[in-house]
Amino acid sequence: MTNPLLDTWTTPFGLPPFDAITDDDWSPAVDTALEEATTRILAIAESQDAPTFENTILALESADRRLSDVLGAFYSVAGADSNPKREALQREFAPKLSAYSSAITSNKQLFQRIETLWTDRESLDLTPEQQRVLYLTHRSFVRSGAELTGFAEDRLTEIKSRLASLGTEFTQNLLADEREWEMPLSEADMEGLPSFVVSAARAAGEERGAGGPVVTLSRSLIVPFLQFSPRRDLRHKAYEAWTARGANGGDTDNRAIAAEILDLRAQRADLLGYDSFADYKLETEMAGNPQAVRDLLMQVWEPAKAAAEADATRLTAMLHADGHAGPLEPWDWRYYSEKRRKEEHDLDENEVKPYFQLGRMIEAAFDCANKLFGLQFAPADGPLYHPDVRMWDVTRNGEHVALFVGDYFARGSKRSGAWCGAMRSQRRTDGDVRAIVTNVCNFAKPPKGEPCLLSYDDARTLFHEFGHALHQMLSDVTYESISGTSVARDFVELPSQLYEHWLEVPQVLKDYATHAETGEPMPEALLDKVLGAATYDMGFQTVEYVASALVDLSFHDEEPPADPMQRQAEVLEEIGMPHAIRMRHATPHFAHVFSGDGYSSGYYSYMWSEVMDADAFAAFEEKGDPFDAELARSLEANILSRGGSEEAADLYTRFRGRMPGVEALLKGRGLADAA
């Protein structure tokens, strides 16, 4: 029997043939694709022809095409619909792929060809894109250890292999903790909860076969439970379980893994000649160095902390008024903050939530993309990996632009959080290849027949991930290595965070925030309250985020701690972390930092990008039109379509005319007065 992954994919849009793939197909397909890619790369390295851009750099880009396609399909499934077999495959693939990557960057013949091209670059008559791809390829090889020899070369290969395995293990431990914990709720336990929370708990219990409603560690369920449950004992139990993910002892404990990862990263940086892993990692980012990151974070930390401490005083008084003598605790904050929001802004989440239907928010995101960029979205059919997944053909002026795949509901087989991925990235090296882009979220799935209702924060998440998707869909470059989101980590969040602003446009909410039962638009008075409370509790949100970013930076800018939990506690004490707020992501479940190198030393990047997104949307506000056609064309031409074809600062400056300061961010978060 043939392997469908290795056959030509004749599916609509070239989708992976998910309807024909079995879990037994993945491993042989990866092995075959690895062998094929390795053979092609060796042929490039051993070629007797003089190196050219086409026979070396371009050939490298296409050498592992089949492998990229197979892995794009596999990791889409492994992250969003895992099972024990797929988790075992992830553990199997991690060292194989690390060894493959190391074999490429340590191939001296291959690097010599790249080095020759780099040395002769001025005489090669390359296009600007080709110059950029050559520069990035050469830099990547050097940073991967291509110039190392002997012990240093061998040790770096060992480190990269071990890090790949540890990152996979960290992620799977976290998923196991999230999957296995649940808190059953009796009818009495649900007293005081809004109907949408009760419905979500019943649906979660049904999905898990629990025989009744449960609270799980899915953010879209546990956060509203913490907001609305009057039962302090249950809030305490749920909160501690949520924050203890990855730190429960036993086989799924991530604390020792985190310590080993930090030590190995420090060794890696040392072998490559850097003072710290943060210096190594930030060299290629807009920030450039750890001090620039720390300066930004501390500019935001002080006003955020001041705002949070003032809020804590108010919430503590409410706690005492309820007859609780103790201090305000982390499991109290969301509950009393929600009560205060209702009092001060006359805003009741139970009243607001029926206006934020998942289907309508998807339509809103699509409509904004149509008004800004002329994109149209039509439902499409094709093989998908789960019945909940939906798909749209994205076109402009009748021409296919991309395929967009949306996977929105939480389930036990899906890792937590929300993310954007690409089963295939845009390129033009072998025809006009368009992207297949995925958005994955974890919204609480409603009982059958009921609409999926989102919180305002959920709706922002949807717009955020769709902003990433636009960055992939509108990519218009020749080479895959610089397409879409292949940009500096502290620039990649700009399109996503910028797109969130369109959710706040009053006309968008008037058109799409319609009641789930009546179909009526949100009343003007309620709309004003929602927008007026947009920066409510921003001290809390900023403190929990910046604390996480500062801990991440300290982990990687200093000697690796033998006990990361102790160092985490020390950093929080040094910055004066308020008692009633904890880090958004404690070390044992800080997947951004420990599931891979992506955001290591880089969790700050959301804040760095926010400086730009606040300033970028201000450009539309200055025009007096959030859908100004000229600005939208400039945004696409200078940022969304360009990928990593130029330095991020140059792209942004071309759009805005200058780089921004932190003032727009503080104003946007409502923290300017506290600064």
Side-chain angles (χ1 to χ4, degrees):
M1 182 178 293
T2 60
N3 189 320
L5 284 161
L6 299 176
D7 289 340
T8 300
W9 296 355
T10 58
T11 51
F13 307 99
L15 276 165
F18 288 116
D19 55 348
I21 300 168
T22 71
D23 283 342
D24 291 333
D25 294 323
W26 295 112
S27 187
V30 168
D31 286 346
T32 298
L34 271 172
E35 183 179 355
E36 178 182 280
T38 300
T39 299
R40 289 180 175 178
I41 288 166
L42 286 175
I44 298 168
E46 296 170 0
S47 172
Q48 298 303 304
D49 296 332
T52 65
F53 183 89
E54 288 71 20
N55 71 18
T56 302
I57 306 301
L58 180 57
L60 274 175
E61 286 247 334
S62 59
D64 60 357
R65 185 75 67 219
R66 190 201 295 267
L67 180 64
S68 295
D69 288 343
V70 172
L71 292 176
F74 174 73
Y75 284 111
S76 293
V77 173
D81 191 26
S82 191
N83 59 34
K85 175 70 172 178
R86 292 168 190 169
E87 290 176 9
L89 288 168
Q90 285 180 282
R91 295 190 295 272
E92 174 191 329
F93 294 162
K96 286 183 178 180
L97 296 173
S98 177
Y100 164 73
S101 176
S102 293
I104 295 172
T105 54
S106 63
N107 187 307
K108 303 306 181 186
Q109 289 177 287
L110 180 59
F111 180 62
Q112 186 55 56
R113 294 178 69 85
I114 296 168
E115 182 73 18
T116 298
L117 291 172
W118 177 245
T119 301
D120 298 341
R121 62 190 180 278
E122 299 298 335
S123 62
L124 297 180
D125 194 26
L126 301 179
T127 68
E129 273 197 23
Q130 290 172 334
Q131 293 174 32
R132 178 70 172 171
V133 171
L134 173 58
Y135 163 72
L136 293 174
T137 302
H138 181 265
R139 186 180 74 177
S140 175
F141 268 70
V142 172
R143 286 170 54 81
S144 296
E147 295 177 322
L148 299 181
T149 58
F151 169 80
E153 180 183 6
D154 294 341
R155 179 59 183 150
L156 185 61
T157 297
E158 293 171 0
I159 287 172
K160 288 192 285 188
S161 178
R162 180 62 178 158
L163 283 171
S165 296
L166 289 172
T168 299
E169 188 176 352
F170 187 98
T171 302
Q172 293 187 352
N173 287 346
L174 182 55
L175 177 60
D177 278 4
E178 292 169 346
R179 183 172 53 218
E180 292 168 11
W181 188 89
E182 61 188 43
M183 183 174 72
L185 297 177
S186 67
E187 293 300 319
D189 294 337
M190 294 189 292
E191 290 181 8
L193 293 178
S195 59
F196 70 85
V197 181
V198 173
S199 293
R202 293 191 192 281
E206 182 178 345
E207 192 260 339
R208 290 186 171 219
V214 298
V215 174
T216 70
L217 297 181
S218 169
R219 186 178 184 89
S220 61
L221 177 51
I222 199 167
V223 168
F225 181 81
L226 293 170
Q227 284 179 295
F228 294 105
S229 175
R231 290 280 302 277
R232 196 181 191 210
D233 60 330
L234 296 182
R235 294 201 311 269
H236 187 184
K237 181 179 180 181
Y239 184 86
E240 293 292 11
W242 191 33
T243 56
R245 291 169 294 157
N248 289 303
D251 293 339
T252 63
D253 197 292
N254 276 333
R255 286 171 288 191
I257 293 175
E260 186 178 356
I261 287 173
L262 293 174
D263 181 60
L264 290 172
R265 285 175 178 166
Q267 291 185 49
R268 178 181 183 181
D270 182 62
L271 288 169
L272 292 168
Y274 293 87
D275 292 338
S276 71
F277 185 79
D279 285 296
Y280 162 75
K281 189 68 185 296
L282 295 172
E283 179 185 49
T284 61
E285 307 300 331
M286 294 183 73
N289 61 77
Q291 191 57 50
V293 173
R294 187 170 279 106
D295 289 345
L296 169 68
L297 293 174
M298 292 310 296
Q299 284 186 73
V300 178
W301 172 256
E302 293 301 336
K305 179 184 172 185
E309 288 176 336
D311 290 342
T313 300
R314 298 287 303 277
L315 301 184
T316 300
M318 298 172 70
L319 174 77
H320 293 166
D322 275 355
H324 301 293
L328 185 74
E329 299 290 354
W331 49 89
D332 296 319
W333 189 291
R334 288 176 174 83
Y335 177 71
Y336 285 103
S337 181
E338 181 62 31
K339 291 181 71 172
R340 181 185 169 199
R341 184 174 76 145
K342 187 174 181 180
E343 290 177 2
E344 295 186 0
H345 294 274
D346 192 22
L347 194 60
D348 184 346
E349 182 78 5
N350 205 27
E351 180 186 5
V352 172
K353 198 154 188 175
Y355 290 97
F356 288 96
Q357 302 174 69
L358 172 60
R360 294 293 282 159
M361 290 301 102
I362 294 172
E363 291 175 24
F366 289 175
D367 186 54
C368 289
N370 176 260
K371 287 184 170 70
L372 289 164
F373 310 116
L375 300 179
Q376 295 180 311
F377 300 80
D381 294 321
L384 294 167
Y385 58 82
H386 192 277
D388 287 342
V389 180
R390 304 167 64 185
M391 186 166 64
W392 293 267
D393 179 16
V394 186
T395 60
R396 180 157 57 184
N397 299 323
E399 294 187 4
H400 177 67
V401 172
L403 192 68
F404 177 62
V405 178
D407 182 358
Y408 295 106
F409 295 130
R411 51 181 173 267
S413 60
K414 182 188 288 187
R415 65 179 172 90
S416 61
W419 64 94
C420 176
M423 296 185 199
R424 183 178 70 211
S425 296
Q426 180 268 331
R427 63 180 185 271
R428 289 200 299 271
T429 51
D430 51 343
D432 187 12
V433 178
R434 308 307 302 177
I436 300 176
V437 188
T438 60
N439 272 181
V440 184
C441 299
N442 269 281
F443 304 138
K445 188 174 183 179
K448 190 174 182 179
E450 295 185 19
C452 176
L453 304 180
L454 308 181
S455 67
Y456 189 62
D457 186 56
D458 287 338
R460 289 178 69 92
T461 296
L462 187 149
F463 267 67
H464 177 100
E465 298 306 333
F466 192 73
H468 280 309
L470 286 171
H471 204 179
Q472 295 274 20
M473 291 188 285
L474 292 173
S475 179
D476 186 21
V477 297
T478 301
Y479 302 97
E480 183 176 359
S481 61
I482 55 170
S483 76
T485 56
S486 299
V487 299
R489 180 65 63 176
D490 49 11
F491 190 65
V492 76
E493 297 298 335
L494 169 62
S496 55
Q497 293 178 179
L498 175 58
Y499 205 67
E500 292 179 32
H501 289 276
W502 274 277
L503 177 62
E504 301 171 352
V505 173
Q507 191 58 51
V508 173
L509 291 177
K510 288 177 182 177
D511 291 342
Y512 291 97
T514 56
H515 199 279
E517 294 180 5
T518 68
E520 292 295 316
M522 183 182 289
E524 192 82 27
L526 184 57
L527 175 62
D528 291 342
K529 292 175 188 176
V530 169
L531 294 176
T535 60
Y536 176 73
D537 212 23
M538 196 56 73
F540 167 85
Q541 295 179 42
T542 308
V543 161
E544 64 165 7
Y545 165 77
V546 174
S548 296
L550 285 168
V551 168
D552 166 41
L553 186 64
S554 294
F555 278 164
H556 295 98
D557 191 30
E558 304 168 356
E559 287 294 315
D563 183 352
M565 299 304 293
Q566 179 182 339
R567 183 57 190 142
Q568 171 186 297
E570 291 170 352
V571 172
L572 297 179
E573 183 176 359
E574 289 165 7
I575 62 178
M577 185 74 169
H579 170 78
I581 307 178
R582 293 185 187 170
M583 292 168 60
R584 182 171 298 177
H585 304 290
T587 298
H589 59 260
F590 207 163
H592 280 81
V593 170
F594 292 106
S595 65
D597 278 353
Y599 282 90
S600 55
S601 301
Y603 193 61
Y604 77 93
S605 60
Y606 291 92
M607 188 69 72
W608 191 275
S609 292
E610 190 176 341
V611 171
M612 289 180 285
D613 83 62
D615 179 68
F617 193 72
F620 286 89
E621 293 176 320
E622 291 162 10
K623 287 280 190 177
D625 180 4
F627 297 102
D628 182 84
E630 181 182 358
L631 266 181
R633 283 193 296 271
S634 177
L635 178 62
E636 179 178 353
N638 293 309
I639 295 178
L640 296 178
S641 69
R642 301 314 304 148
S645 60
E646 298 179 57
E647 292 293 332
D650 294 337
L651 294 175
Y652 187 84
T653 301
R654 193 172 304 135
F655 167 69
R656 194 66 167 108
R658 52 164 175 72
M659 289 299 292
V662 75
E663 297 78 19
L665 178 148
L666 293 174
K667 180 182 177 182
R669 285 185 169 243
L671 300 173
D673 292 340

